Amino acid sequence: MTTALFRVPVDGLHGLSHETRVIATPWSRMVRGTGLGQYPTPYDPEAAARIRHTFSLLAAKGVDDPYTRFSRLLADLVLDVTRPGRDLSRTELERRLAPVLDAVRAEKNPYFAVMAGCILMDAVAKLGLDRTLLVGAGRDFPAEILALVDTIEPDRIKDENAGRHGHYEKLSACSAVFLALGQLGLRERLVTNERNRVREALGLLEKIPAPFFRGRGGSMLLSVLFLLGHGRYVNGEGRDFVEEVLDHLDHADELNLPPAFPQPMSKSFSRVYPLLTMLNAVALSGRAEHYLSHGRDRLAEAEELMGRITPVERTHMGLYHLMALHNLGRLDERAPHLDALVEDVVGQWAHIDPGANYFLNGIAYAYIIQTAMVTGRMDLIGPRTLERLADCFPDLDRTDDDRVNRPYPFAYTLNVLGEVGAAHLLFEPRDAYGGSTPVAWVVDRLSDGGREEHRLYMLNHALVSYALRQRGPRRGETPLFADFAFRGA
């Protein structure tokens, strides 16, 4: 299989949008719902039918919680807005938006309500719709979402790190809300005479004790603030929050607050992950040279840690590392043999069983394929790679944990296969599923109403992102991202 057989939206790092460079990996999109709809392509009626079909399968399974209802209604609206020849009137848009807004307001978990609200605001911006649909004439939906952030309490995430996140969720919500308001051209609301929400958000950093979460969560907040032009609050008022986060990462051993993962991970993995995300924030700062030498040589540190992690861990982190180096303008210097590096990372597919577990192995292929895509090396991905991924989900019945979390890798898979034009593999009958389609098989094996699968929301993100991509290249980059300039090191 050659590159020509894929409908790939980019042909190398030079072709990436600023949004992709800022929100560089699928983790932010699938887990946090930030930056959905990257790599816009012309409207595809088959893709639209697949998205609607999947939501129909979920409804038939009894999955109708407010977050899924919001996602289904929004995706349906997006597909109608993007369909060629369909011109929705202002009255029709308002009528269609009303139940979408109601679904957001019906979500009882404030973090998920904020996440949904931000996805909606981002979608309005990316579709080029009038922001007065959300603010004006007695409406102020952005203000509603901003107010909800105040109600998010610490340590509410129910995962393997329960009780160890601190204000990580609230920090992530701030990042998403700030970005969404920036997309709508409302960044001035973040700093007013009454409140400085930027300073408040930065103050949350020291309320996240674990270096891993402070670095990973803080890097996105800092990136968004630099993007919005609020860098003076980051490093211009007597403190430098980039330096402080980097210093905190340096104390990981003595703090002894390692993150827990679904599968055993190396110590170096938990150290390199937040560092690489911080390097991407540094790339947006305009002070890269300063930060890269703060305390130690940060690029050398990253390379050393990358050399210590296992090959399967490197499939996850390889994309983070390449994107950070690219954004810093250091790729030629630090990765002179790029092809060999990419071939090593992508070639690991032959040694990884994607059905062995839902996290370490389960999402490795998604990172492998995306690494090949963004570096213009889809020639490294063949039919066997894709078939092995498409057929892996029955194997995740091995343990209850894998079964309950199966939507996690399935969402990553749907997202990346959609990006490379191979989503049809999940919507066609396959022998591995007894003649059923992978998507029908996976949905049919959810618990009643999807009540046990607490990561099912990620499938919603993959579907909404798939829908937003249908807006076409002419609606590619919003002004917020198009007007930003990476200044390298």
Side-chain angles (χ1 to χ4, degrees):
M1 184 175 285
T2 64
T3 306
L5 295 180
F6 290 99
R7 290 180 292 167
V8 181
V10 294
D11 59 356
L13 292 164
H14 65 280
L16 298 180
S17 69
H18 283 176
E19 182 180 22
T20 296
R21 294 176 68 182
V22 174
I23 306 170
T25 67
W27 181 87
S28 294
R29 304 199 287 279
M30 295 301 97
V31 177
R32 297 297 174 192
T34 304
L36 300 182
Q38 292 185 27
Y39 310 112
T41 61
Y43 180 86
D44 179 359
E46 285 188 315
R50 291 170 188 149
I51 294 163
R52 289 185 166 118
H53 173 65
T54 306
F55 277 118
S56 295
L57 291 172
L58 289 167
K61 191 65 179 177
V63 181
D64 191 38
D65 58 279
Y67 201 85
T68 299
R69 189 159 61 251
F70 155 77
S71 302
R72 173 177 53 79
L73 291 167
L74 177 60
D76 197 50
L77 175 57
V78 168
L79 292 173
D80 281 347
V81 169
T82 57
R83 193 175 78 187
R86 185 77 182 268
D87 187 15
L88 299 183
S89 67
R90 169 78 184 213
T91 300
E92 178 68 5
L93 285 170
E94 290 181 339
R95 185 186 70 80
R96 295 283 297 277
L97 271 171
V100 180
L101 295 170
D102 289 343
V104 176
R105 293 164 180 148
E107 174 56 62
K108 300 302 182 186
N109 183 317
Y111 176 76
F112 277 85
V114 168
M115 189 158 55
C118 292
I119 290 170
L120 174 56
M121 289 187 277
D122 185 60
V124 166
K126 285 175 175 169
L127 294 173
L129 301 179
D130 193 330
R131 76 180 186 187
T132 60
L133 289 164
L134 299 178
V135 56
R139 291 181 294 268
D140 200 339
F141 182 71
E144 290 182 47
I145 300 303
L146 264 178
L148 271 177
V149 174
D150 291 337
T151 69
I152 297 174
E153 299 177 358
D155 288 320
R156 296 290 170 167
I157 304 174
K158 297 177 180 179
D159 65 11
E160 55 277 352
N161 286 285
R164 288 184 279 182
H165 294 95
H167 284 272
Y168 180 57
E169 203 164 40
K170 189 170 186 176
L171 183 82
S172 297
C174 287
S175 302
V177 173
F178 292 3
L179 179 59
L181 264 64
Q183 289 281 61
L184 291 179
L186 298 173
R187 73 183 85 187
E188 73 280 356
R189 291 192 174 195
L190 303 179
V191 180
T192 66
N193 291 331
E194 291 76 30
R195 289 183 70 173
N196 188 319
R197 293 180 181 273
V198 172
R199 287 198 188 111
E200 291 176 16
L202 288 167
L204 294 173
L205 285 167
E206 57 192 10
K207 296 180 181 179
I208 303 172
F212 179 86
F213 294 111
R214 189 181 300 189
R216 187 168 71 171
S219 64
M220 183 51 68
L221 175 67
L222 296 169
S223 295
V224 169
L225 293 180
F226 289 132
L227 178 71
L228 294 175
H230 285 311
R232 70 186 182 92
Y233 295 108
V234 176
N235 54 31
E237 295 190 329
R239 293 180 67 177
D240 191 317
F241 288 93
V242 177
E243 290 184 357
E244 290 181 22
V245 173
L246 290 172
D247 290 341
H248 196 66
L249 297 184
D250 292 343
H251 290 88
D253 288 345
E254 60 194 79
L255 291 169
N256 194 27
L257 295 169
F261 294 101
Q263 283 81 49
M265 309 291 280
S266 69
K267 182 178 178 181
S268 293
F269 181 87
S270 65
R271 289 185 56 193
V272 75
Y273 194 151
L275 174 61
L276 293 176
T277 61
M278 280 299 298
L279 290 180
N280 215 50
V282 165
L284 278 77
S285 70
R287 302 185 68 210
E289 199 65 46
H290 169 75
Y291 292 129
L292 291 179
S293 60
H294 175 72
R296 61 186 69 176
D297 183 335
R298 296 295 171 175
L299 293 180
E301 179 188 16
E303 289 163 11
E304 181 185 2
L305 291 170
M306 286 294 292
R308 292 183 193 168
I309 61 179
T310 66
V312 65
E313 291 172 343
R314 203 171 297 121
T315 63
H316 291 232
M317 291 294 100
L319 182 60
Y320 287 80
H321 194 201
L322 288 173
M323 290 300 300
L325 291 176
H326 174 60
N327 289 339
L328 288 164
R330 295 295 193 92
L331 192 60
D332 290 343
E333 171 195 337
R334 293 285 178 164
H337 306 294
L338 179 60
D339 277 345
L341 189 155
V342 173
E343 288 165 10
D344 176 64
V345 170
V346 176
Q348 293 303 318
W349 76 265
H351 310 291
I352 295 171
D353 173 6
N357 51 68
Y358 80 87
F359 172 69
L360 179 58
N361 288 39
I363 64 174
Y365 273 46
Y367 279 103
I368 284 169
I369 295 168
Q370 192 143 61
T371 299
M373 181 182 77
V374 302
T375 56
R377 292 301 312 273
M378 286 300 290
D379 59 293
L380 300 174
I381 303 295
R384 179 63 184 133
T385 314
L386 300 184
E387 290 166 2
R388 194 173 185 186
L389 174 59
D391 289 341
C392 77
F393 295 99
D395 292 338
L396 294 176
D397 275 339
R398 289 171 178 165
T399 70
D400 288 342
D401 195 37
D402 285 322
R403 176 185 56 77
V404 169
N405 286 288
R406 186 158 35 209
Y408 191 133
F410 192 77
Y412 270 76
T413 299
L414 175 59
N415 178 66
V416 75
L417 292 186
E419 289 174 351
V420 300
H424 62 90
L425 292 172
L426 301 179
F427 294 87
E428 297 172 350
R430 299 189 64 81
D431 290 343
Y433 300 88
S436 182
T437 67
V439 66
W441 189 95
V442 167
V443 172
D444 187 56
R445 279 154 182 77
L446 296 174
S447 61
D448 289 341
R451 294 179 183 88
E452 295 180 17
E453 291 82 5
H454 64 284
R455 284 181 164 121
L456 182 56
Y457 75 94
M458 292 171 59
L459 180 55
N460 292 322
H461 289 169
L463 292 165
V464 171
S465 189
Y466 199 7
L468 271 173
R469 292 186 63 230
Q470 306 305 306
R471 71 189 186 276
R474 68 185 181 85
R475 288 179 175 147
E477 198 90 290
T478 59
L480 176 65
F481 287 99
D483 294 342
F484 183 79
F486 281 88
R487 286 174 278 178

